[in-house]
Amino acid sequence: MSVPQPPEPIPGARLLFSLDPAVSHLNHGSFGAVPIGVQRAQQRLRDEMEANPLRFFTQGLVDRIAHSRRHLAGFLGADPDGSALVGNTTTGVAVVLQSLGLRPGDEVLSTDHGYGAVSLAIQRECRRTGAVSRVLPVPLAATDEQVVQIVSAGLRPGRTRLLVVDQLTSATAKLLPVAAIVGVAHEHDVPVLVDAAHAPGMLPTPVDSIGADFWAGNLHKWGYAPRGTALLAVAAPWRDRIEPLVVSWEQDTGYPARIEWQATLDYTPWLAAPAGLFTLRSLGVDRVREHNAALAAYGQRVVGDGLGVPPAQLPDPGGPGVALRLIPLPAGIATTIDAARALQTQIGARLAAEVAVMSWNGQGWLRLTGQVYNTAAEYERLAVRLPALLAQR
């Protein structure tokens, strides 16, 4: 089977970023990259804030935050009145967990594809409240129907107080059928929290169409927003129960202002976030999505070939628009989190390539992303150089 051709580069897109040209940045999924125009928009806001801090924080800032939230929620297909800006998806998850009022005997159900920090948050809240965390194993190659069946069989009506499921998994780059999962969970009266950290900007699914009770996604990954920008969407029946992690002066205003207002927080990422969406729209939202997904698929095949991985053993993310791809590493390499982190650092230092190395179920994985600033040559260069580095290990 021949390697697919890479997509045509989007003219001028690479020049929109201030990334070090001596490094191949193949891990956009971890921290994103902020376009230069968005950096400048945020800096102008910082300058405004520092020119007169009292005026900036006390004259209209709450309304400016709400205006930015409405813009971002509209792009994502979420109800602006049911959405709140938060620092990141993990923060949104923590807000939901501590608002549930878990008790001894309750359980929080998740899958073994969950993001590590989210899993830690679940475990901490369960320790604090006496609830139980239960994790469902889901095979990497499971079909959508099989995933729904596994989740449905794992629900315990009357005991499962929350189901946490990823829209696009971080560790395994797997697109899950969240709308179908939500439907099954609701049949059993189990509320659902969707971890959509990678969805905004990459996936076209409107938030409201998923039907989740809670949905949290980052705009600083694929939405070109400054880091520290995420949206928490909450279904109407739950909004009055959502409490902030820290109480501040908008507490009596209710949701969402009580979540968003944290006094001297730096709000410039949120205020500059619409500039990120402007950049995305200027390039063409569908065009960027198609380009990034095709480039990631090309990189997966090229690097997979370099490592001697047959195409049939390259995981399919389950969706044509997914710009994250996974490649299995040779047996015995990166089988633990610490080993994966060490290898990731070594690849960055010795090969001048920033990638994600994951350890999932005792197997090491290389996760690559595609973004408008990447070129086919970067994946081809990694495919040539990586096997020798791994052989030394």
Side-chain angles (χ1 to χ4, degrees):
M1 185 180 296
S2 61
V3 176
Q5 292 298 307
E8 288 293 324
I10 297 178
R14 191 176 179 89
L15 300 177
L16 297 176
F17 297 85
S18 55
L19 294 165
D20 183 353
V23 177
S24 296
H25 301 274
L26 307 178
N27 185 19
H28 185 88
S30 286
F31 298 102
V34 184
I36 295 171
V38 182
Q39 295 178 41
R40 291 174 177 169
Q42 184 182 12
Q43 187 57 51
R44 287 192 295 271
L45 289 162
R46 288 192 180 119
D47 292 342
E48 177 191 348
M49 176 173 60
E50 297 305 334
N52 193 330
L54 185 64
R55 178 186 299 167
F56 182 85
F57 280 97
T58 63
Q59 297 185 20
L61 182 54
V62 172
D63 290 337
R64 293 173 73 177
I65 293 170
H67 176 77
S68 184
R69 180 220 314 144
R70 286 192 291 269
H71 186 99
L72 301 176
F75 174 79
L76 296 173
D79 178 3
D81 294 328
S83 303
L85 293 173
V86 292
N88 54 32
T89 296
T90 311
T91 300
V93 170
V95 167
V96 172
L97 286 171
Q98 63 91 36
S99 297
L100 287 175
L102 294 173
R103 298 177 179 179
D106 293 340
E107 74 170 21
V108 178
L109 185 64
S110 59
T111 79
D112 60 352
H113 295 256
Y115 183 60
V118 170
S119 299
L120 291 173
I122 294 171
Q123 293 166 17
R124 188 188 71 169
E125 191 63 17
C126 287
R127 286 195 305 269
R128 190 179 70 82
T129 61
V132 175
S133 171
R134 191 160 59 88
V135 179
L136 291 175
V138 176
L140 184 58
T143 65
D144 286 355
E145 293 76 12
Q146 290 170 334
V147 172
V148 173
Q149 289 172 1
I150 291 170
V151 172
S152 179
L155 296 170
R156 295 176 179 174
R159 183 173 179 183
T160 305
R161 287 288 309 282
L162 182 69
L163 169 63
V164 181
V165 63
D166 297 67
Q167 188 166 352
L168 176 61
T169 66
S170 176
T172 55
K174 185 175 180 62
L175 188 66
L176 298 181
V178 287
I181 291 172
V182 168
V184 167
H186 284 178
E187 290 176 2
H188 295 84
D189 295 322
V190 174
V192 182
L193 166 59
V194 173
D195 177 347
H198 288 277
M202 185 202 297
L203 303 178
T205 311
V207 173
D208 283 352
S209 71
I210 296 172
D213 303 86
F214 316 99
W215 180 101
N218 294 322
L219 284 114
H220 53 243
K221 293 180 183 286
W222 306 91
Y224 297 154
R227 292 172 196 89
T229 306
L231 193 83
L232 170 64
V234 177
W238 292 93
R239 293 170 192 170
D240 290 342
R241 298 173 57 179
I242 298 298
E243 293 286 349
L245 299 176
V246 178
V247 173
S248 194
W249 286 103
E250 292 296 320
Q251 176 67 15
D252 292 339
T253 307
Y255 183 88
R258 66 165 50 149
I259 300 298
E260 294 174 335
W261 185 256
Q262 295 292 309
T264 52
L265 186 74
D266 182 0
Y267 299 98
T268 61
W270 299 355
L271 300 181
L277 294 185
F278 175 81
T279 303
L280 181 58
R281 288 186 173 110
S282 297
L283 293 172
V285 178
D286 292 338
R287 184 186 191 189
V288 169
R289 286 171 175 159
E290 293 170 3
H291 170 276
N292 292 348
L295 190 57
Y298 175 77
Q300 181 191 42
R301 283 293 306 276
V302 168
V303 177
D305 282 353
L307 295 178
V309 180
Q313 294 180 17
L314 295 174
D316 181 352
V322 176
L324 285 79
R325 292 282 177 149
L326 217 59
I327 302 163
L329 292 171
I333 292 181
T335 57
T336 67
I337 293 177
D338 288 343
R341 289 172 176 169
L343 177 58
Q344 179 174 309
T345 300
Q346 189 175 28
I347 292 173
R350 295 182 57 182
L351 304 186
E354 298 296 349
V355 300
V357 180
M358 305 294 189
S359 176
W360 185 76
N361 281 3
Q363 164 74 51
W365 303 87
L366 182 73
R367 193 193 72 185
L368 300 176
T369 61
Q371 189 48 264
V372 295
Y373 51 72
N374 292 130
T375 65
E378 293 177 306
Y379 305 93
E380 295 162 1
R381 185 163 56 247
L382 180 64
V384 171
R385 302 179 65 190
L386 182 59
L389 186 150
L390 296 180
Q392 294 173 9
R393 299 175 65 89

